[in-house]
Amino acid sequence: MTITQWLIFILVIQIIHGIGTWKLYVKAGRQAWEAFIPVYNAVILMKIINRPWWWTILLFVPIVNLIMLPVVWVETARSFGKNQYMDTFLAVISLGFYNFYLNYVADVTYVENRDLDPKSSSGDWTSSILFAIVAATIVHTYFIQPFTIPSSSLEKSLYIGDFLFVSKFHYGARVPMTTVAMPMVHDTIPVANVKSYLFNDNYDKRNTSLINKTQLPYMRLPGFESIERNDIVVFNQPADTLVNMDDFNPDRNYYKPIDKKTNLVKRCVGVPGDSLEVRDGYVYINGQKNELPDRAKLQFSYYVVAKNRTFNPVELKNRYDITDRIILLNDGKTYYFSAITDEALERFKNHPNVVSITKSTTEKGTRDERVFPHNSSYNWNYDNFGPIYIPKKGETVALNMEVIPIYKRLISEYENKKVTTNGNQILIEGQPSTSYTFTQDYYWMMGDNRNNSIDSRGWGFVPFDHVVGKPVLIWMSWDGLRNPRWERWFTTVGGSGKPVSYLIPFLILLAAWFGFNKWRKKKKEAQ
């Protein structure tokens, strides 16, 4: 749905609302025309049902309005004396069209000063829960979203078992594109294991399916910060078009809306306008080796030949901080260490059980089919990749048959332009093209765990409309259920130097807050 289509849809809804409620407005002492004026009619309706004017704002907030609309339908019925359970059921099940019955058929009278307090404890609980969900949904969608680290791609900066708060407002909160979805749930309803949103996931029907017309166009609120090189960013995985991210051979093509693609967290090593290259696992930007923040620790994979005994995982973790997978190969003496930092490697070389250590690397010029742009003309791999230019909004890139494999997905999938070729000629929207001007910024996301990370080397560029937010705080961290990492609780994600835990100051402030509230309550009771 385009912005124009969305505005037309809103206008049609306003007309339907006016037709179904104008007599009720009159019975409440208002004018009939007030039921037809967009937005204004909602403000007047809030006065009629004795609710605050700012409820009007909630009616136009995607996802939140799915909760607020049934509430308003029920409140409207109750404002005209319809307080029975059956009235509530009909108001909700009819999607608000019960108002037509009240407007044209039922003999109702406006209750001007009705009691707004719930008539039962269940009603009180229902009201409290609904508005708790509304408040949490607003915070989750536009301010702060909790996120759990699922993989070791940023190990040493972010650990598996870290629980993050991700800021939506640093880069600007993205307005939900999927308007019919369960609040505060991503793409799957827990336990039920079914989609949490309304969308036809058949790739061939993604643009024609009627239910897909409920999708809103991409919109983002203004942010106060731009993504900088080496920032850790949460984003929707661009290539996530599968129901199961571990199944790369699905029975058919699937398609997911942008905001329902899998959430990932990586480090942005390349920003718009950069020329990026990977040499032996190290990133070079515009010819210069990228310098990571002091908290970041690159990790690489190694083959380790042992003397005559197995390695002790507890010893490796405590002494060398080696926490990722260790696999014994078929010869019985060679181990594959999937991730070791340079600092740990220097100390680990002197381990009495180590005979030799060899870095796992793929030579330059050896093609890996898993690597972007998945084209036989590019002999790139995860260790040696590029150079590649990262497009910037408003900048024009020259197109030819050599570079079109790199930019075709961007132009067709993210810029929504049809790209075809005819011999050596490139056609965009049917017109011969030798260049293209990009309409949004693109980024290059990679893990610090260079040999154990699914990142931009596999799927390519990350468009800005896929960016979710910026991780700002680790509020909890566990190394398994029985082992809390207390030193990581309430630590910042960014910054330099060793992370400092603010757990104790937080607990002191929390205790002070509860103490103050208790004192204030006793003081009021004494008066």
Side-chain angles (χ1 to χ4, degrees):
M1 186 183 293
T2 64
I3 293 179
T4 302
Q5 290 172 332
W6 180 74
L7 291 175
I8 293 173
F9 173 75
I10 293 296
L11 181 60
V12 170
I13 293 297
Q14 302 300 310
I15 294 173
I16 293 174
H17 171 79
I19 294 172
T21 60
W22 67 271
K23 285 188 177 182
L24 299 180
Y25 275 67
V26 172
K27 289 181 179 181
R30 309 299 304 193
Q31 300 295 318
W33 60 265
E34 291 181 300
F36 292 89
I37 307 301
V39 183
Y40 175 75
N41 55 8
V43 174
I44 299 302
L45 182 61
M46 295 308 113
K47 292 182 179 180
I48 292 173
I49 65 176
N50 290 320
R51 294 299 183 179
W53 67 268
W54 50 263
W55 275 29
T56 301
I57 299 174
L58 301 182
L59 292 176
F60 292 92
V61 177
I63 307 299
V64 172
N65 56 10
L66 296 180
I67 304 170
M68 293 304 301
L69 284 171
V71 172
V72 170
W73 298 334
V74 171
E75 290 291 297
T76 301
R78 290 178 178 176
S79 294
F80 290 88
K82 296 297 183 179
N83 298 308
Q84 301 302 314
Y85 285 113
M86 182 55 69
D87 296 309
T88 300
F89 173 77
L90 291 174
V92 174
I93 202 67
S94 68
L95 301 180
F97 282 96
Y98 185 57
N99 288 334
F100 277 75
Y101 167 75
L102 301 181
N103 196 62
Y104 292 107
V105 179
D107 184 15
V108 295
T109 302
Y110 177 58
V111 183
E112 186 172 359
N113 296 311
R114 69 186 179 95
D115 185 7
L116 299 180
D117 294 327
K119 301 299 186 294
S120 64
S121 58
S122 62
D124 189 27
W125 274 101
T126 301
S127 178
S128 298
I129 291 172
L130 280 175
F131 282 97
I133 293 174
V134 167
T137 301
I138 292 174
V139 171
H140 182 277
T141 305
Y142 296 98
F143 296 96
I144 294 288
Q145 175 181 337
F147 184 82
T148 306
I149 297 299
S151 71
S152 61
S153 66
L154 288 174
E155 196 87 2
K156 310 312 175 205
S157 292
L158 296 175
Y159 288 78
I160 295 175
D162 281 350
F163 292 79
L164 308 179
F165 281 141
V166 177
S167 166
K168 298 289 188 71
F169 52 85
H170 273 75
Y171 305 139
R174 189 177 56 189
V175 176
M177 287 166 266
T178 306
T179 59
V180 184
M182 179 171 286
M184 295 181 296
V185 175
H186 190 51
D187 60 342
T188 304
I189 299 176
V191 182
N193 200 31
V194 295
K195 282 194 307 183
S196 63
Y197 56 97
L198 185 64
F199 192 83
N200 187 334
D201 68 0
N202 189 308
Y203 185 83
D204 296 328
K205 298 181 179 179
R206 70 193 189 282
N207 294 322
T208 57
S209 174
L210 185 60
I211 63 172
N212 291 4
K213 299 300 182 182
T214 61
Q215 292 282 307
L216 286 179
Y218 165 71
M219 294 179 286
R220 188 183 289 272
L221 300 178
F224 64 87
E225 187 176 294
S226 298
I227 298 175
E228 297 181 359
R229 192 179 300 116
N230 295 324
D231 275 356
I232 295 177
V233 180
V234 173
F235 58 95
N236 298 115
Q237 204 238 50
D240 181 11
T241 57
L242 306 178
V243 169
N244 181 358
M245 280 298 297
D246 296 323
D247 177 14
F248 290 93
N249 296 287
D251 59 337
R252 62 181 173 87
N253 287 324
Y254 293 93
Y255 179 79
K256 296 172 73 174
I258 292 173
D259 57 341
K260 294 302 178 183
K261 292 181 179 181
T262 299
N263 287 330
L264 292 181
V265 56
K266 305 290 177 185
R267 190 180 302 280
C268 176
V269 295
V271 297
D274 281 346
S275 179
L276 178 143
E277 186 177 2
V278 180
R279 305 176 191 169
D280 197 26
Y282 293 92
V283 172
Y284 287 76
I285 302 295
N286 304 322
Q288 301 295 318
K289 189 174 182 180
N290 184 36
E291 296 296 331
L292 295 176
D294 58 357
R295 287 189 185 180
K297 304 294 181 184
L298 287 182
Q299 295 191 99
F300 296 95
S301 299
Y302 294 88
Y303 293 100
V304 179
V305 177
K307 287 182 179 178
N308 51 23
R309 63 185 177 86
T310 60
F311 291 100
N312 185 328
V314 176
E315 177 197 10
L316 294 177
K317 180 177 179 181
N318 294 335
R319 182 179 295 183
Y320 307 105
D321 195 25
I322 298 174
T323 55
D324 222 320
R325 293 180 304 154
I326 302 173
I327 301 172
L328 177 62
L329 302 183
N330 292 333
D331 65 359
K333 289 186 177 181
T334 304
Y335 288 82
Y336 177 75
F337 282 68
S338 58
I340 306 177
T341 63
D342 291 343
E343 294 88 340
L345 182 67
E346 288 302 312
R347 291 183 283 117
F348 184 53
K349 287 178 179 178
N350 299 319
H351 192 284
N353 194 39
V354 171
V355 174
S356 64
I357 299 178
T358 306
K359 188 176 182 180
S360 173
T361 186
T362 305
E363 293 183 358
K364 184 176 182 179
T366 302
R367 181 174 176 244
D368 187 336
E369 293 181 353
R370 301 171 300 166
V371 169
F372 180 82
H374 312 288
N375 186 281
S376 58
S377 298
Y378 290 85
N379 295 321
W380 294 348
N381 54 67
Y382 275 90
D383 298 309
N384 293 280
F385 182 98
I388 191 170
Y389 174 76
I390 305 173
K392 184 176 183 179
K393 180 180 179 179
E395 288 199 355
T396 301
V397 172
L399 297 181
N400 53 49
M401 295 305 295
E402 182 180 352
V403 301
I404 194 61
I406 294 177
Y407 298 116
K408 182 177 180 180
R409 178 176 174 83
L410 275 69
I411 300 171
S412 61
E413 183 73 17
Y414 311 140
E415 306 264 325
N416 298 311
K417 299 289 193 301
K418 184 178 180 181
V419 182
T420 56
T421 57
N422 183 14
N424 290 326
Q425 190 177 51
I426 300 170
L427 304 174
I428 299 179
E429 294 293 316
Q431 299 298 317
S433 303
T434 57
S435 64
Y436 182 79
T437 302
F438 288 92
T439 61
Q440 64 174 317
D441 287 327
Y442 292 84
Y443 301 85
W444 198 263
M445 307 291 186
M446 287 176 59
D448 297 343
N449 193 340
R450 290 293 159 83
N451 297 104
N452 192 19
S453 174
I454 300 176
D455 52 36
S456 282
R457 291 171 293 178
W459 65 71
F461 307 97
V462 175
F464 186 54
D465 63 10
H466 282 58
V467 170
V468 175
K470 179 177 183 177
V472 292
L473 183 73
I474 302 169
W475 62 277
M476 185 170 67
S477 183
W478 296 83
D479 183 11
L481 292 176
R482 298 182 180 180
N483 301 303
R485 303 187 187 102
W486 295 113
E487 73 282 359
R488 294 184 64 79
W489 287 48
F490 285 86
T491 60
T492 58
V493 174
S496 59
K498 187 176 180 180
V500 177
S501 173
Y502 295 96
L503 176 60
I504 300 302
F506 171 76
L507 293 176
I508 293 173
L509 287 174
L510 191 63
W513 173 256
F514 279 111
F516 173 74
N517 280 341
K518 189 173 182 180
W519 171 81
R520 187 174 60 177
K521 185 177 180 180
K522 285 184 176 180
K523 186 176 180 180
K524 286 184 177 180
E525 291 175 350
Q527 294 176 349

